[in-house]
Amino acid sequence: MAKTPTDIASLARSHTRTAIRTLAQIMKQPEAPYAARVAAAEALLDRGWGKPKQSHEAEMTHRYVVEIPPLLSNEEWQEKYSSSSSPLIDLKMIRP
């Protein structure tokens, strides 16, 4: 009879201590080639606990600057706009 995914995860989790010990032993003995043991230990951990979540980092290099012109005083505004011969609003643009 086939095992359910829950049974497989449970069986893999039962080897967690051994897998961690194997990884620790490999980490402490860099002269020995343990590639196959590392792959097996990682496979057990991935099956039992799931793969680690991946994070992505990005550095933003764009910066936007918005310049706002200074406000005009009432006197400056009247001087600038009331003395002009052209109207402030072009009625031709509003009317069809």
Side-chain angles (χ1 to χ4, degrees):
M1 179 155 81
K3 298 272 186 195
T4 63
T6 307
D7 292 338
I8 293 170
S10 178
L11 287 171
R13 287 180 182 170
S14 71
H15 295 283
T16 299
R17 286 186 184 199
T18 305
I20 291 174
R21 283 189 191 125
T22 301
L23 288 172
Q25 288 172 353
I26 293 167
M27 183 181 70
K28 293 176 183 176
Q29 297 176 12
E31 69 276 3
Y34 287 105
R37 293 179 68 196
V38 169
E42 286 179 343
L44 286 170
L45 290 171
D46 289 347
R47 290 290 174 120
W49 300 101
K51 292 193 180 274
K53 292 183 180 175
Q54 296 181 356
S55 65
H56 299 281
E57 292 184 22
E59 184 176 326
M60 301 302 289
T61 58
H62 302 300
R63 183 170 40 147
Y64 298 96
V65 177
V66 177
E67 291 185 23
I68 301 172
L71 294 175
L72 298 175
S73 69
N74 288 340
E75 292 81 21
E76 291 170 327
W77 191 90
Q78 284 180 339
E79 196 175 295
K80 184 174 182 177
Y81 294 107
S82 65
S83 64
S84 100
S85 59
S86 62
L88 294 178
I89 300 173
D90 187 1
L91 294 178
K92 292 177 195 168
M93 294 178 69
I94 297 174
R95 295 184 185 147

